[in-house]
Amino acid sequence: MSGKESIAILGGTGDLGTGLAIRWSRAGHEIVIGSRTLEKAKAAVENLQKISPETPARAMQNADAAAAGGIVVLTVPAEHQISTLETVRAGLVGKILIDVSVPLVPPRVGTVQLPHAGSAGKRAQDFLGADVMVVSAFQNIAAHLLQQDIQIDCDVLVAGNKRGARDKVIELAAEAGLTGWHAGPIDNAAAAEALTSILIQINRRHEISHSGIKIVGQGHQE
Ligand SMILES: NC(=O)c1ccc[n+]([C@@H]2O[C@H](COP(=O)([O-])OP(=O)(O)OC[C@H]3O[C@@H](n4cnc5c(N)ncnc54)[C@H](OP(=O)(O)O)[C@@H]3O)[C@@H](O)[C@H]2O)c1
């Protein structure tokens, strides 16, 4: 064993979950792929093991995956975020839950339309309560890029109420080849979620396939 936490990816059969699984598996984390069906999870694990044969991976249904993972990542479509959390919440107590949801509302995906709670990240934290440390991240990273072995020109805004939990997710972002930044409490997840619609507009109007964000800084605080 690598000594690194196992990471359970719920909906890890999908596009973003696959990208994160590939990168964290290559970094030496045991990956647990969660799905609504064991068969789909097993097929995803088979693919993952072809890419990272040295690193163990397991297939489970979402609730078992949530219970098994040291850290849990939710990568299902935003409209199914809460219904999925309902089925797995018992396994999340005391853990970090990384929420990647971008609450786009088709057909106007280039227009910011955040949910009533303020953001999907805040909605998840409100639903789960203080026993689960929800950290919102990766909203601005394209799944398709994560799945390739390339440098991605986009940083990760990391929002969550516990600084230690944000530190851990920034570390995981680095292991996936990305720079993460402390973006403050979970209320601030709204900014990264909204930014995705802006990046979609930029892609369309400036004919870029994947626009991204980079945080820059100058000087030091006294
Ligand atoms: N795609 C991107 O580039 C990207 C970028 C940043 C953030 N995100 C966010 O990442 C999340 C996943 O996006 P994605 O593109 O990876 O989605 P996806 O491929 O469409 O779906 C991911 C997985 O969600 C599960 N799922 C589908 N319908 C469901 C339902 N009704 N209830 C529960 N689970 C269901 C499926 O897994 P099973 O059938 O195996 O259960 C599916 O493989 C979304 O919240 C999205 O906003 C995506």
Side-chain angles (χ1 to χ4, degrees), residues 95-109:
K95 295 181 185 172
I96 293 174
L97 174 77
I98 304 177
D99 182 78
V100 304
S101 309
V102 182
L104 299 176
V105 185
R108 293 169 65 228
V109 294

PDB file of all heavy atoms in Angstrom, residues 95-109:
ATOM      1  N   LYS A  95     -15.952  12.810   7.129  1.00  0.00           N
ATOM      2  CA  LYS A  95     -15.037  12.813   5.981  1.00  0.00           C
ATOM      3  C   LYS A  95     -15.105  14.114   5.186  1.00  0.00           C
ATOM      4  O   LYS A  95     -16.036  14.903   5.325  1.00  0.00           O
ATOM      5  CB  LYS A  95     -15.410  11.654   5.029  1.00  0.00           C
ATOM      6  CG  LYS A  95     -15.208  10.287   5.640  1.00  0.00           C
ATOM      7  CD  LYS A  95     -15.563   9.192   4.645  1.00  0.00           C
ATOM      8  CE  LYS A  95     -15.470   7.829   5.331  1.00  0.00           C
ATOM      9  NZ  LYS A  95     -15.984   6.768   4.455  1.00  0.00           N
ATOM     10  N   ILE A  96     -14.120  14.253   4.306  1.00  0.00           N
ATOM     11  CA  ILE A  96     -14.162  15.315   3.291  1.00  0.00           C
ATOM     12  C   ILE A  96     -14.971  14.783   2.118  1.00  0.00           C
ATOM     13  O   ILE A  96     -14.721  13.676   1.623  1.00  0.00           O
ATOM     14  CB  ILE A  96     -12.736  15.668   2.809  1.00  0.00           C
ATOM     15  CG1 ILE A  96     -11.935  16.323   3.944  1.00  0.00           C
ATOM     16  CG2 ILE A  96     -12.793  16.573   1.579  1.00  0.00           C
ATOM     17  CD1 ILE A  96     -10.469  16.562   3.604  1.00  0.00           C
ATOM     18  N   LEU A  97     -15.957  15.574   1.675  1.00  0.00           N
ATOM     19  CA  LEU A  97     -16.668  15.268   0.434  1.00  0.00           C
ATOM     20  C   LEU A  97     -16.305  16.361  -0.573  1.00  0.00           C
ATOM     21  O   LEU A  97     -16.599  17.545  -0.356  1.00  0.00           O
ATOM     22  CB  LEU A  97     -18.185  15.279   0.636  1.00  0.00           C
ATOM     23  CG  LEU A  97     -18.935  15.109  -0.695  1.00  0.00           C
ATOM     24  CD1 LEU A  97     -18.913  13.664  -1.172  1.00  0.00           C
ATOM     25  CD2 LEU A  97     -20.371  15.620  -0.624  1.00  0.00           C
ATOM     26  N   ILE A  98     -15.644  15.981  -1.642  1.00  0.00           N
ATOM     27  CA  ILE A  98     -15.325  16.955  -2.695  1.00  0.00           C
ATOM     28  C   ILE A  98     -16.501  16.997  -3.653  1.00  0.00           C
ATOM     29  O   ILE A  98     -16.895  15.969  -4.225  1.00  0.00           O
ATOM     30  CB  ILE A  98     -14.031  16.562  -3.451  1.00  0.00           C
ATOM     31  CG1 ILE A  98     -12.863  16.417  -2.465  1.00  0.00           C
ATOM     32  CG2 ILE A  98     -13.724  17.601  -4.523  1.00  0.00           C
ATOM     33  CD1 ILE A  98     -11.550  15.970  -3.099  1.00  0.00           C
ATOM     34  N   ASP A  99     -17.085  18.173  -3.793  1.00  0.00           N
ATOM     35  CA  ASP A  99     -18.228  18.349  -4.696  1.00  0.00           C
ATOM     36  C   ASP A  99     -17.762  19.119  -5.929  1.00  0.00           C
ATOM     37  O   ASP A  99     -17.224  20.215  -5.805  1.00  0.00           O
ATOM     38  CB  ASP A  99     -19.350  19.118  -3.987  1.00  0.00           C
ATOM     39  CG  ASP A  99     -20.558  19.257  -4.880  1.00  0.00           C
ATOM     40  OD1 ASP A  99     -21.304  18.273  -5.014  1.00  0.00           O
ATOM     41  OD2 ASP A  99     -20.740  20.334  -5.480  1.00  0.00           O
ATOM     42  N   VAL A 100     -17.974  18.531  -7.103  1.00  0.00           N
ATOM     43  CA  VAL A 100     -17.502  19.160  -8.349  1.00  0.00           C
ATOM     44  C   VAL A 100     -18.656  19.754  -9.148  1.00  0.00           C
ATOM     45  O   VAL A 100     -18.446  20.239 -10.266  1.00  0.00           O
ATOM     46  CB  VAL A 100     -16.767  18.129  -9.235  1.00  0.00           C
ATOM     47  CG1 VAL A 100     -15.624  17.461  -8.498  1.00  0.00           C
ATOM     48  CG2 VAL A 100     -17.728  17.061  -9.758  1.00  0.00           C
ATOM     49  N   SER A 101     -19.866  19.709  -8.585  1.00  0.00           N
ATOM     50  CA  SER A 101     -21.070  20.046  -9.360  1.00  0.00           C
ATOM     51  C   SER A 101     -21.028  21.443  -9.955  1.00  0.00           C
ATOM     52  O   SER A 101     -20.696  22.413  -9.270  1.00  0.00           O
ATOM     53  CB  SER A 101     -22.310  19.984  -8.459  1.00  0.00           C
ATOM     54  OG  SER A 101     -22.376  18.786  -7.763  1.00  0.00           O
ATOM     55  N   VAL A 102     -21.425  21.516 -11.210  1.00  0.00           N
ATOM     56  CA  VAL A 102     -21.661  22.808 -11.858  1.00  0.00           C
ATOM     57  C   VAL A 102     -23.146  22.827 -12.226  1.00  0.00           C
ATOM     58  O   VAL A 102     -23.577  22.069 -13.092  1.00  0.00           O
ATOM     59  CB  VAL A 102     -20.809  22.973 -13.134  1.00  0.00           C
ATOM     60  CG1 VAL A 102     -21.056  24.353 -13.732  1.00  0.00           C
ATOM     61  CG2 VAL A 102     -19.333  22.776 -12.832  1.00  0.00           C
ATOM     62  N   PRO A 103     -23.929  23.669 -11.554  1.00  0.00           N
ATOM     63  CA  PRO A 103     -25.379  23.631 -11.767  1.00  0.00           C
ATOM     64  C   PRO A 103     -25.807  24.395 -13.026  1.00  0.00           C
ATOM     65  O   PRO A 103     -26.529  25.393 -12.952  1.00  0.00           O
ATOM     66  CB  PRO A 103     -25.922  24.276 -10.486  1.00  0.00           C
ATOM     67  CG  PRO A 103     -24.843  25.208 -10.048  1.00  0.00           C
ATOM     68  CD  PRO A 103     -23.531  24.614 -10.494  1.00  0.00           C
ATOM     69  N   LEU A 104     -25.360  23.899 -14.183  1.00  0.00           N
ATOM     70  CA  LEU A 104     -25.776  24.524 -15.447  1.00  0.00           C
ATOM     71  C   LEU A 104     -27.239  24.162 -15.707  1.00  0.00           C
ATOM     72  O   LEU A 104     -27.676  23.063 -15.373  1.00  0.00           O
ATOM     73  CB  LEU A 104     -24.908  24.013 -16.602  1.00  0.00           C
ATOM     74  CG  LEU A 104     -23.410  24.300 -16.505  1.00  0.00           C
ATOM     75  CD1 LEU A 104     -22.675  23.652 -17.672  1.00  0.00           C
ATOM     76  CD2 LEU A 104     -23.127  25.787 -16.447  1.00  0.00           C
ATOM     77  N   VAL A 105     -27.982  25.098 -16.308  1.00  0.00           N
ATOM     78  CA  VAL A 105     -29.383  24.822 -16.629  1.00  0.00           C
ATOM     79  C   VAL A 105     -29.565  24.940 -18.143  1.00  0.00           C
ATOM     80  O   VAL A 105     -29.669  26.044 -18.673  1.00  0.00           O
ATOM     81  CB  VAL A 105     -30.339  25.794 -15.890  1.00  0.00           C
ATOM     82  CG1 VAL A 105     -31.791  25.389 -16.150  1.00  0.00           C
ATOM     83  CG2 VAL A 105     -30.048  25.820 -14.398  1.00  0.00           C
ATOM     84  N   PRO A 106     -29.577  23.779 -18.860  1.00  0.00           N
ATOM     85  CA  PRO A 106     -29.752  23.832 -20.308  1.00  0.00           C
ATOM     86  C   PRO A 106     -31.130  24.425 -20.646  1.00  0.00           C
ATOM     87  O   PRO A 106     -32.072  24.250 -19.861  1.00  0.00           O
ATOM     88  CB  PRO A 106     -29.684  22.365 -20.733  1.00  0.00           C
ATOM     89  CG  PRO A 106     -29.054  21.655 -19.589  1.00  0.00           C
ATOM     90  CD  PRO A 106     -29.406  22.423 -18.365  1.00  0.00           C
ATOM     91  N   PRO A 107     -31.299  25.087 -21.771  1.00  0.00           N
ATOM     92  CA  PRO A 107     -30.273  25.208 -22.812  1.00  0.00           C
ATOM     93  C   PRO A 107     -29.329  26.394 -22.606  1.00  0.00           C
ATOM     94  O   PRO A 107     -28.362  26.518 -23.322  1.00  0.00           O
ATOM     95  CB  PRO A 107     -31.121  25.416 -24.084  1.00  0.00           C
ATOM     96  CG  PRO A 107     -32.322  26.156 -23.593  1.00  0.00           C
ATOM     97  CD  PRO A 107     -32.601  25.645 -22.199  1.00  0.00           C
ATOM     98  N   ARG A 108     -29.599  27.239 -21.583  1.00  0.00           N
ATOM     99  CA  ARG A 108     -28.791  28.471 -21.458  1.00  0.00           C
ATOM    100  C   ARG A 108     -27.599  28.217 -20.534  1.00  0.00           C
ATOM    101  O   ARG A 108     -27.482  28.804 -19.456  1.00  0.00           O
ATOM    102  CB  ARG A 108     -29.695  29.600 -20.956  1.00  0.00           C
ATOM    103  CG  ARG A 108     -30.762  29.976 -21.999  1.00  0.00           C
ATOM    104  CD  ARG A 108     -31.828  30.885 -21.447  1.00  0.00           C
ATOM    105  NE  ARG A 108     -31.303  32.182 -21.053  1.00  0.00           N
ATOM    106  CZ  ARG A 108     -31.573  32.759 -19.885  1.00  0.00           C
ATOM    107  NH1 ARG A 108     -32.330  32.150 -19.002  1.00  0.00           N
ATOM    108  NH2 ARG A 108     -31.060  33.941 -19.601  1.00  0.00           N
ATOM    109  N   VAL A 109     -26.684  27.353 -20.969  1.00  0.00           N
ATOM    110  CA  VAL A 109     -25.558  26.980 -20.106  1.00  0.00           C
ATOM    111  C   VAL A 109     -24.508  28.087 -20.009  1.00  0.00           C
ATOM    112  O   VAL A 109     -23.651  28.067 -19.130  1.00  0.00           O
ATOM    113  CB  VAL A 109     -24.904  25.656 -20.563  1.00  0.00           C
ATOM    114  CG1 VAL A 109     -25.863  24.492 -20.401  1.00  0.00           C
ATOM    115  CG2 VAL A 109     -24.404  25.746 -21.999  1.00  0.00           C
TER     116      VAL A 109
END
